[in-house]
Amino acid sequence: MSKTSDPSAFPPVFEARDVAVHFGGIRAVDGISFELTSGKIFGVLGPNGSGKSTLLGAMTGLVHLTSGSFEFHGSAYAARSAVSIARGGVARTFQTVRLVPSLTVHENIQLAADQIWTVDAGDGAPLRGSRRRRAAARQVAHAMELTGTAQIGSLRPSELSYGTQRRVEIARAIAARPKLLLLDEPTAGMNKHERREIGDLLRSLRAEGLTQLLVEHDVDMMVETCDHLFAMNSGRLIAEGTPAEVVRDPLVEEAYLGRKAAGDATRQ
Ligand SMILES: Nc1ncnc2c1ncn2[C@@H]1O[C@H](COP(=O)(O)OP(=O)(O)OP(=O)(O)O)[C@@H](O)[C@H]1O
């Protein structure tokens, strides 16, 4: 159980129970359980190939579970399609930028809102016509404001720095008005300044109550940004707790931090 949760006061937003994803003989995710509670930033640390992206893929319906189950706001969803999971409120960004090159920033962000906005936030009634368009436009404007992309709405992805493209991707995910946002290495390829900006952005999303699960290799950023960390190795959860606890865990040091340090030394 997540140490950040008090089950009686805050039922989990998301629960994974003994989840496994096998590709033939490869146990990419090998029987892990965890809970995500509301309005916090959770992080997943782990060396290359430890199963982090496969886990996010399974959580978003892009990868089939071999066994185990997920619950989102108390409802099972392992068998649902990726589209229905997204419509249900789980959004994600990918390791590589996936913006549509021929569309402007605004159009890219609008795309997500158009696909997702089918029901009213309050009463769940289907939204149609101008009501639907107005609701989507409000959410697009809000996502662009939050991510600092409002001033670049008319530009195309090729005119933006890599870091800004990543921010547009986050804006697109937020425009789908998720209840849970999964971020796969959002700061990959960014400089220190851009990484700090992304950290600030994730904290401002947390202040709005958005639950987030972040996969990152930048340990400093994870420690600064996350409320609770999970550490994976060879498809298994080897530690969880506060960032300070997890980075000091001997199993994590051996599996991830030690190996990274050795790798860094090799490259120098
Ligand atoms: N579609 C697939 N078919 C076969 N094997 C796969 C597939 N996807 C992932 N794997 C394997 O599953 C394991 C976990 O991979 P995964 O990409 O989830 O790790 P990761 O922790 O996200 O790694 P990285 O940090 O490098 O992105 C690896 O051994 C990988 O080669």
Side-chain angles (χ1 to χ4, degrees), residues 21 23-24 26-29 46-55 63 95 184-185 215 217 232:
V21 178
F23 300 110
I26 299 171
R27 293 166 178 258
V29 176
N48 291 329
S50 58
K52 306 178 298 295
S53 295
T54 303
L55 176 64
V63 173
Q95 259 180 33
D184 199 351
E185 299 192 29
V215 167
H217 283 291
M232 289 182 74

Side-chain angles (χ1 to χ4, degrees), residues 1-2 4-17 34-39 42 71-75 179-180 211:
M1 166 153 337
S2 156
T4 56
S5 65
D6 170 358
S8 57
F10 303 106
V13 171
F14 187 93
E15 242 182 304
R17 292 208 192 103
F34 61 88
E35 289 181 4
L36 308 180
T37 45
S38 180
F42 294 85
E71 272 195 12
F72 181 53
H73 284 290
S75 304
K179 300 183 187 86
L180 172 61
T211 309

Side-chain angles (χ1 to χ4, degrees), residues 144-197:
M144 294 181 78
E145 190 63 40
L146 265 179
T147 53
T149 53
Q151 311 302 321
I152 55 166
S154 60
L155 300 182
R156 288 183 206 281
S158 61
E159 299 174 90
L160 307 174
S161 72
Y162 186 70
T164 306
Q165 290 182 37
R166 302 300 307 236
R167 271 194 293 135
V168 175
E169 285 223 313
I170 296 174
R172 186 166 63 175
I174 299 167
R177 210 189 50 188
K179 300 183 187 86
L180 172 61
L181 176 61
L182 313 178
L183 300 128
D184 199 351
E185 299 192 29
T187 70
M190 286 189 183
N191 62 36
K192 208 169 174 181
H193 174 70
E194 289 171 327
R195 287 207 298 272
R196 197 167 300 131
E197 280 185 348

